[in-house]
Amino acid sequence: MPVSHALRVRTAVPRDDADLAELDRRVWSTRHAVTPRPEPPYPPFFDERHAPEDHLVAELDGRPVGYVRLGFPTPLAANAHVRQIQGLAVAEEARGRGVGRALIRAAVDEARRRGARRLTLRVLGHNAPARALYEAEGFVVEGVLPEEFLLDGAYVDDVCMGRFL
């Protein structure tokens, strides 16, 4: 019987906590992370600021291989029409299989479903693969914060991108 490699994107549930936390630790890199490398004891993936329903999970063969986190860029009512991608991770073994693209498209659909008019994100300037994916999915550069982060001894730009829904 052939093996199915069906990609499915769904809303996260509380039982995803351990799998997503482990995925986050495995993919950690200064290519996309500005926080220090995670060290034990590890905090839970979901917390008071990041609930399961704020995440979409990509599964291949029923196994989580990626996620995207949607949030609000600010707590202000005047900014409530905007959602922000506040994290995207794809397992190394699932890269190049359309997982990131599926997560971005699902995030666009979910933001629209939740009433957003715009979707924004921030990406490190040296993360060319992510920037290319976002651009291919309709995001445009809306601003650059030059040398915003010092990572591994090098200054890195923070690129602000967005798109209308």
Side-chain angles (χ1 to χ4, degrees):
M1 183 175 214
V3 176
S4 167
H5 294 292
L7 175 63
R8 181 184 115 151
V9 178
R10 62 170 174 80
T11 302
V13 294
R15 71 175 175 272
D16 290 319
D17 189 276
D19 287 339
L20 296 181
E22 195 273 328
L23 171 64
D24 227 24
R25 290 190 296 271
R26 275 193 337 220
V27 303
W28 184 94
S29 162
T30 55
R31 176 183 269 187
H32 60 82
V34 297
T35 55
R37 179 180 296 279
E39 297 290 337
Y42 301 117
F45 185 79
F46 301 127
D47 58 28
E48 62 281 347
R49 288 183 42 231
H50 307 107
E53 58 271 13
D54 298 331
H55 298 80
L56 299 172
V57 178
E59 292 181 327
L60 277 173
D61 302 324
R63 189 174 57 83
V65 294
Y67 76 85
V68 62
R69 174 181 288 156
L70 278 175
F72 290 98
T74 73
L76 302 171
N79 190 226
H81 63 285
V82 179
R83 292 297 185 283
Q84 186 175 59
I85 292 175
Q86 297 178 338
L88 175 75
V90 176
E92 187 72 37
E93 67 274 12
R95 292 185 185 159
R97 297 174 70 182
V99 174
R101 186 172 309 279
L103 285 166
I104 295 299
R105 289 179 179 175
V108 166
D109 291 344
E110 184 63 14
R112 189 180 289 124
R113 188 187 73 74
R114 292 182 185 190
R117 293 176 37 91
R118 284 180 29 82
L119 183 59
T120 64
L121 59 89
R122 294 169 66 173
V123 61
L124 295 175
H126 64 208
N127 192 345
R131 290 180 64 182
L133 172 62
Y134 297 138
E135 287 173 7
E137 291 302 315
F139 288 84
V140 297
V141 173
E142 297 181 336
V144 176
L145 302 172
E147 298 185 0
E148 187 72 0
F149 298 104
L150 178 62
L151 303 173
D152 286 342
Y155 290 100
V156 179
D157 295 348
D158 190 13
V159 179
C160 303
M161 300 181 80
R163 64 166 282 179
F164 286 94
L165 301 177

